[in-house]
Amino acid sequence: MHDTAMEWSDLRIFLAVARGGTLGAAARELGQTQPTMGRRIRVLEQTLGLTLFQRTSEGFVLTNEGAAVLAHAERMEAEALGIARAASGQGGTLEGVLRVSSSDWFGTYVLTRAIASLGVKHPGVVVELITDARLLSLARRDADLVFRIAPFDEPDIAQRRLLQMPYAAYRADGSDALDSVVTMDTAFGGMPDVAWLRERLPDARIAFRSNSREAQARACALGLGIAVLPCPLGDATPGIERIDLGGPPPTRDVWMGYHRDLRHLPRLRAFVDEIVAIS
């Protein structure tokens, strides 16, 4: 092995390429250029005297040596992130950025109320809301606080079931049609409300699919069909009304999670208090 003096920044690039599979994906994640990323990977390989990636037409694939380095790099990353979280968690003032992640409709129709209330009380806190369907990593600080409909299985995550979200069936105002529905896309076909709507209206045609609840609500208002929506979204959408299809759709639990290292972060605690107050 060659001189092993290496930069942590090179290991961060190595991790980004290993996770993203391409220089382009890694460059977007870290805000650098592809040539820079490629050059730093070559420097790291020369420093270690190892070939870390196999270059293929579809991207970068870890070699056996690269996989071994990955395990060490992830442990180093975990320690570095732990230091950063510990430093953040000791901050005693109510100021700074708080990164919050949720689905699009939940962020728009639920979280913004808490964000507005927090902003009035603590104007030094800036909430950065990321509406993303991906399960972002709390350990890597992709987000400080995450809201989702599935419990967290990451280690060292403090979580709680925040609330039980009610759903209802909706259709366009004044419509009496029951022959078409608006529902989730096929990737989310296993969700409880999809099966419930199919059971209630087995002969109805599917007029529109989307993984966006807001798009479903808009399509419903335009008369495309009956939709099952979270009540905060459905009740706030102009042009649609609740209908009774023989009982309410299944509810869903909403879970809130954050890394235990941040449990004493004042701005996080203040925002959690606002969320609990409105839920």
Side-chain angles (χ1 to χ4, degrees), residues 121-134:
K121 297 176 183 177
H122 306 291
V125 178
V126 177
V127 175
E128 183 177 304
L129 178 62
I130 308 156
T131 56
D132 201 318
R134 296 174 300 156

PDB file of all heavy atoms in Angstrom, residues 121-134:
ATOM      1  N   LYS A 121     -42.848  32.912  16.900  1.00  0.00           N
ATOM      2  CA  LYS A 121     -42.251  32.875  18.241  1.00  0.00           C
ATOM      3  C   LYS A 121     -40.724  32.950  18.212  1.00  0.00           C
ATOM      4  O   LYS A 121     -40.119  33.521  19.117  1.00  0.00           O
ATOM      5  CB  LYS A 121     -42.676  31.588  18.955  1.00  0.00           C
ATOM      6  CG  LYS A 121     -44.169  31.487  19.199  1.00  0.00           C
ATOM      7  CD  LYS A 121     -44.520  30.130  19.819  1.00  0.00           C
ATOM      8  CE  LYS A 121     -46.025  29.976  20.008  1.00  0.00           C
ATOM      9  NZ  LYS A 121     -46.379  28.635  20.534  1.00  0.00           N
ATOM     10  N   HIS A 122     -40.120  32.351  17.189  1.00  0.00           N
ATOM     11  CA  HIS A 122     -38.659  32.263  17.135  1.00  0.00           C
ATOM     12  C   HIS A 122     -38.177  32.618  15.728  1.00  0.00           C
ATOM     13  O   HIS A 122     -37.840  31.734  14.929  1.00  0.00           O
ATOM     14  CB  HIS A 122     -38.193  30.856  17.520  1.00  0.00           C
ATOM     15  CG  HIS A 122     -38.716  30.388  18.844  1.00  0.00           C
ATOM     16  ND1 HIS A 122     -38.313  30.923  20.043  1.00  0.00           N
ATOM     17  CD2 HIS A 122     -39.635  29.430  19.143  1.00  0.00           C
ATOM     18  CE1 HIS A 122     -38.942  30.309  21.030  1.00  0.00           C
ATOM     19  NE2 HIS A 122     -39.750  29.405  20.521  1.00  0.00           N
ATOM     20  N   PRO A 123     -38.161  33.892  15.389  1.00  0.00           N
ATOM     21  CA  PRO A 123     -37.810  34.294  14.012  1.00  0.00           C
ATOM     22  C   PRO A 123     -36.388  33.945  13.608  1.00  0.00           C
ATOM     23  O   PRO A 123     -36.061  33.995  12.418  1.00  0.00           O
ATOM     24  CB  PRO A 123     -38.032  35.810  14.034  1.00  0.00           C
ATOM     25  CG  PRO A 123     -37.976  36.201  15.480  1.00  0.00           C
ATOM     26  CD  PRO A 123     -38.503  35.037  16.239  1.00  0.00           C
ATOM     27  N   GLY A 124     -35.524  33.583  14.567  1.00  0.00           N
ATOM     28  CA  GLY A 124     -34.159  33.207  14.212  1.00  0.00           C
ATOM     29  C   GLY A 124     -34.034  31.799  13.681  1.00  0.00           C
ATOM     30  O   GLY A 124     -32.967  31.412  13.195  1.00  0.00           O
ATOM     31  N   VAL A 125     -35.115  31.024  13.749  1.00  0.00           N
ATOM     32  CA  VAL A 125     -35.099  29.645  13.261  1.00  0.00           C
ATOM     33  C   VAL A 125     -35.629  29.613  11.833  1.00  0.00           C
ATOM     34  O   VAL A 125     -36.716  30.130  11.555  1.00  0.00           O
ATOM     35  CB  VAL A 125     -35.948  28.720  14.152  1.00  0.00           C
ATOM     36  CG1 VAL A 125     -35.964  27.297  13.584  1.00  0.00           C
ATOM     37  CG2 VAL A 125     -35.411  28.715  15.578  1.00  0.00           C
ATOM     38  N   VAL A 126     -34.875  29.026  10.947  1.00  0.00           N
ATOM     39  CA  VAL A 126     -35.302  28.863   9.553  1.00  0.00           C
ATOM     40  C   VAL A 126     -35.585  27.386   9.316  1.00  0.00           C
ATOM     41  O   VAL A 126     -34.679  26.549   9.423  1.00  0.00           O
ATOM     42  CB  VAL A 126     -34.226  29.350   8.567  1.00  0.00           C
ATOM     43  CG1 VAL A 126     -34.679  29.107   7.131  1.00  0.00           C
ATOM     44  CG2 VAL A 126     -33.915  30.820   8.800  1.00  0.00           C
ATOM     45  N   VAL A 127     -36.830  27.055   9.010  1.00  0.00           N
ATOM     46  CA  VAL A 127     -37.194  25.672   8.708  1.00  0.00           C
ATOM     47  C   VAL A 127     -37.034  25.442   7.209  1.00  0.00           C
ATOM     48  O   VAL A 127     -37.569  26.192   6.387  1.00  0.00           O
ATOM     49  CB  VAL A 127     -38.637  25.353   9.145  1.00  0.00           C
ATOM     50  CG1 VAL A 127     -39.020  23.939   8.713  1.00  0.00           C
ATOM     51  CG2 VAL A 127     -38.777  25.498  10.656  1.00  0.00           C
ATOM     52  N   GLU A 128     -36.274  24.419   6.875  1.00  0.00           N
ATOM     53  CA  GLU A 128     -36.091  24.015   5.480  1.00  0.00           C
ATOM     54  C   GLU A 128     -36.895  22.747   5.268  1.00  0.00           C
ATOM     55  O   GLU A 128     -36.548  21.688   5.791  1.00  0.00           O
ATOM     56  CB  GLU A 128     -34.607  23.775   5.200  1.00  0.00           C
ATOM     57  CG  GLU A 128     -34.279  23.411   3.765  1.00  0.00           C
ATOM     58  CD  GLU A 128     -32.779  23.271   3.566  1.00  0.00           C
ATOM     59  OE1 GLU A 128     -32.047  24.236   3.873  1.00  0.00           O
ATOM     60  OE2 GLU A 128     -32.348  22.200   3.122  1.00  0.00           O
ATOM     61  N   LEU A 129     -37.991  22.852   4.538  1.00  0.00           N
ATOM     62  CA  LEU A 129     -38.906  21.728   4.353  1.00  0.00           C
ATOM     63  C   LEU A 129     -38.574  20.997   3.058  1.00  0.00           C
ATOM     64  O   LEU A 129     -38.573  21.584   1.980  1.00  0.00           O
ATOM     65  CB  LEU A 129     -40.362  22.214   4.318  1.00  0.00           C
ATOM     66  CG  LEU A 129     -41.430  21.155   4.083  1.00  0.00           C
ATOM     67  CD1 LEU A 129     -41.424  20.112   5.201  1.00  0.00           C
ATOM     68  CD2 LEU A 129     -42.809  21.807   3.973  1.00  0.00           C
ATOM     69  N   ILE A 130     -38.284  19.704   3.184  1.00  0.00           N
ATOM     70  CA  ILE A 130     -37.948  18.864   2.034  1.00  0.00           C
ATOM     71  C   ILE A 130     -39.100  17.888   1.844  1.00  0.00           C
ATOM     72  O   ILE A 130     -39.314  17.000   2.678  1.00  0.00           O
ATOM     73  CB  ILE A 130     -36.645  18.086   2.282  1.00  0.00           C
ATOM     74  CG1 ILE A 130     -35.523  19.026   2.726  1.00  0.00           C
ATOM     75  CG2 ILE A 130     -36.242  17.280   1.058  1.00  0.00           C
ATOM     76  CD1 ILE A 130     -34.434  18.336   3.507  1.00  0.00           C
ATOM     77  N   THR A 131     -39.866  18.052   0.768  1.00  0.00           N
ATOM     78  CA  THR A 131     -40.946  17.109   0.483  1.00  0.00           C
ATOM     79  C   THR A 131     -40.404  16.065  -0.475  1.00  0.00           C
ATOM     80  O   THR A 131     -40.132  16.348  -1.630  1.00  0.00           O
ATOM     81  CB  THR A 131     -42.170  17.818  -0.116  1.00  0.00           C
ATOM     82  OG1 THR A 131     -41.792  18.537  -1.289  1.00  0.00           O
ATOM     83  CG2 THR A 131     -42.765  18.791   0.899  1.00  0.00           C
ATOM     84  N   ASP A 132     -40.216  14.872   0.043  1.00  0.00           N
ATOM     85  CA  ASP A 132     -39.508  13.833  -0.700  1.00  0.00           C
ATOM     86  C   ASP A 132     -40.073  12.483  -0.327  1.00  0.00           C
ATOM     87  O   ASP A 132     -40.268  12.181   0.852  1.00  0.00           O
ATOM     88  CB  ASP A 132     -38.017  13.874  -0.344  1.00  0.00           C
ATOM     89  CG  ASP A 132     -37.151  13.205  -1.397  1.00  0.00           C
ATOM     90  OD1 ASP A 132     -37.552  12.128  -1.887  1.00  0.00           O
ATOM     91  OD2 ASP A 132     -36.085  13.749  -1.721  1.00  0.00           O
ATOM     92  N   ALA A 133     -40.345  11.657  -1.347  1.00  0.00           N
ATOM     93  CA  ALA A 133     -40.890  10.324  -1.080  1.00  0.00           C
ATOM     94  C   ALA A 133     -39.822   9.354  -0.597  1.00  0.00           C
ATOM     95  O   ALA A 133     -40.134   8.294  -0.060  1.00  0.00           O
ATOM     96  CB  ALA A 133     -41.547   9.765  -2.350  1.00  0.00           C
ATOM     97  N   ARG A 134     -38.532   9.710  -0.791  1.00  0.00           N
ATOM     98  CA  ARG A 134     -37.468   8.803  -0.348  1.00  0.00           C
ATOM     99  C   ARG A 134     -37.399   8.770   1.169  1.00  0.00           C
ATOM    100  O   ARG A 134     -37.779   9.720   1.845  1.00  0.00           O
ATOM    101  CB  ARG A 134     -36.118   9.263  -0.889  1.00  0.00           C
ATOM    102  CG  ARG A 134     -35.986   9.218  -2.397  1.00  0.00           C
ATOM    103  CD  ARG A 134     -34.667   9.831  -2.810  1.00  0.00           C
ATOM    104  NE  ARG A 134     -34.591  11.222  -2.356  1.00  0.00           N
ATOM    105  CZ  ARG A 134     -33.456  11.878  -2.138  1.00  0.00           C
ATOM    106  NH1 ARG A 134     -32.293  11.268  -2.288  1.00  0.00           N
ATOM    107  NH2 ARG A 134     -33.462  13.144  -1.735  1.00  0.00           N
TER     108      ARG A 134
END
